[in-house]
């Protein structure tokens, strides 16, 4: 069990409070568990999507905070064994930076697509985008027996008990969107998914408006669709995907439609041309 210093606990409180002024309050956790996880299965579930199943004894007692639970994947440097950062720091990046440079794992964030405590397993759906970063590179080569680090995260989906809901996702947020839908969304929830092409589609157990952006900028198609959406402003929106997609849709909802910024959960899951560390 990690032991956080008073300063770290204070930092967590301040960050949580500051975030609460800008966005809908996420589901928080007090302790960010950290452990080694091992690949037990790999399956391609689409031309660009790979499902990796991980086992760790700790998953038997693990509790997700919500359906779109994320975690930090700690990937060892090429050709090096995995060195886990200290779990006694609230900020995992600070803990990574304290390690010798050659041992520092890369950190990338992914969604717990499914958690099976009885099997002590999780599934993670990786969008494969070539060799451009350590996350996709690792997932492209992952095989049974490979080990990486797991750093617990939190979740963002937290709609009010009444009122309409809008969900907007790109391909990287589809695992979270699917998990949210499976957990149950209010009747009439509007769902938009903007993906590059049709072969990024996944099965979602709900009516989804699919948009194909091709080579256009992420967010350009879904922003138009949300702007054209008739009817009253939703009571709550969850908007996740490429950074400009998330910020543009959020800006429209807040500035043009008057939705309270604390009623919009938004997150830039990745950024064109930049690593998402
Ligand atoms: C809370 C959260 C949950 C997430 N859940 C998932 C998930 O379940 N599945 C998933 O696949 N991703 C998920 N992501 C997104 C993922 O963390 C980013 O795509 C991340 O950039 C991947 O790391 P990388 O090492 O592959 O690329 P990076 O090193 O971060 O980036 C290298 C280059 O690749 C580009 N790039 C990054 N991602 C993509 C992409 N998807 N398509 C095209 N170009 C890209 C960048 O613009 C950059 O130029 C999530 C992110 C967050 C914050």
């Amino acid at each position: 069990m990690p032991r956080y210093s008073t300063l770290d606990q204070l930092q967590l409180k301040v960050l949580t409070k500051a975030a609460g002024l800008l966005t809908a309050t996420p589901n928080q956790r007090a302790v960010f568990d950290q452990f080694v996880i091992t690949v037990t299965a790999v399956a391609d579930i689409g031309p660009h999507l790979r499902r990796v199943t991980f086992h760790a004894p700790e998953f038997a007692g693990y509790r997700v905070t919500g359906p779109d639970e994320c975690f930090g994947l700690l990937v060892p440097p090429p050709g090096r064994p995995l060195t886990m950062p200290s779990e006694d720091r609230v900020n995992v990046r600070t803990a990574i930076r304290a390690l010798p440079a050659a041992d520092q794992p890369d950190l990338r964030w992914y969604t717990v697509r499914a958690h099976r405590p009885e099997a002590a397993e999780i599934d993670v759906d990786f969008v494969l985008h070539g060799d451009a970063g350590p996350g996709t590179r690792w997932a492209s080569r992952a095989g049974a027996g490979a080990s990486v680090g797991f750093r617990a995260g939190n979740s963002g989906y937290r709609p009010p008990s009444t009122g309409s809901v809008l969900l907007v996702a790109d391909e990287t947020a589809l695992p979270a969107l699917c998990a949210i839908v499976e957990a149950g969304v209010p009747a009439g929830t509007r769902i938009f998914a903007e993906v590059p092409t049709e072969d990024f589609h996944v099965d979602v157990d709900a009516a989804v408006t699919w948009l194909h952006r091709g080579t256009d900028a992420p967010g350009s198609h879904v922003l138009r669709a949300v702007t054209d959406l008739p009817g009253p402003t939703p009571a709550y929106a969850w908007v996740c995907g490429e950074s400009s997609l998330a910020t543009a849709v959020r800006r429209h909802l807040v500035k043009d439609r008057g939705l309270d910024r604390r009623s919009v959960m938004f997150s830039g899951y990745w950024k064109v041309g930049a690593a998402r560390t």
Side-chain angles (χ1 to χ4, degrees):
M1 172 78 80
R3 296 262 174 272
Y4 301 138
S5 68
T6 313
L7 192 65
D8 264 11
Q9 289 179 40
L10 192 68
Q11 187 193 23
L12 185 62
K13 259 194 197 149
V14 171
L15 287 175
T16 308
K17 200 141 190 134
L21 300 174
L22 296 173
T23 181
T25 313
N27 302 300
Q28 284 295 358
R29 64 168 73 240
V31 172
F32 298 90
D33 301 302
Q34 189 181 283
F35 43 87
V36 175
I37 60 179
T38 303
V39 176
T40 54
V42 177
D44 287 329
I45 55 173
H48 312 279
L49 198 61
R50 173 163 292 184
R51 176 162 296 169
V52 179
T53 301
F54 295 95
H55 170 83
E58 290 86 346
F59 284 138
Y62 192 71
R63 293 283 169 270
V64 294
T65 61
D68 55 331
E69 180 84 7
C70 71
F71 73 98
L73 179 85
L74 296 157
V75 182
R80 306 276 301 178
L82 174 66
T83 306
M84 291 294 272
S86 163
E87 60 175 354
D88 290 340
R89 299 305 305 261
V90 165
N91 187 330
V92 62
R93 292 181 190 91
T94 309
I96 291 172
R97 280 196 299 270
L99 292 172
D103 294 332
Q104 292 180 6
D106 282 301
L107 171 72
R108 293 293 183 273
W109 297 95
Y110 289 92
T111 302
V112 176
R113 173 64 184 89
H115 174 218
R116 291 181 293 279
E118 66 289 356
E121 281 180 350
I122 62 164
D123 291 335
V124 182
D125 291 352
F126 292 83
V127 174
L128 302 179
H129 60 97
D131 250 9
T136 181
R137 203 177 302 130
W138 181 85
S140 308
R141 293 163 178 73
S147 288
V148 284
F150 177 97
R151 170 80 176 201
N154 61 4
S155 61
Y157 182 67
R158 199 174 166 188
S161 49
T162 57
S164 57
V165 168
L166 170 70
L167 304 176
V168 177
D170 77 353
E171 61 276 19
T172 63
L174 284 175
L177 176 81
C178 289
I180 288 171
V181 167
E182 285 164 15
V185 290
T189 294
R190 295 298 310 256
I191 307 177
F192 291 92
E194 186 197 273
V195 295
T197 51
E198 192 171 353
D199 57 8
F200 280 82
H201 286 208
V202 297
D203 290 334
V204 186
D205 195 13
V208 176
T209 303
W210 290 97
L211 302 156
H212 302 149
R213 66 172 175 273
T215 54
D216 293 341
S220 49
H221 290 240
V222 79
L223 177 62
R224 210 172 309 137
V226 172
T227 306
D228 290 347
L229 192 59
T233 303
Y236 174 85
W238 178 94
V239 185
C240 294
E242 200 280 330
S243 177
S244 40
L245 176 156
T247 51
V249 173
R250 181 230 189 210
R251 194 180 310 119
H252 164 70
L253 292 169
V254 173
K255 295 245 188 286
D256 304 336
R257 297 232 179 186
L259 187 57
D260 189 315
R261 62 185 62 201
R262 286 161 303 180
S263 297
V264 185
M265 159 56 208
F266 79 110
S267 177
Y269 273 16
W270 62 285
K271 193 170 169 55
V272 169
R276 178 63 160 93
T277 53

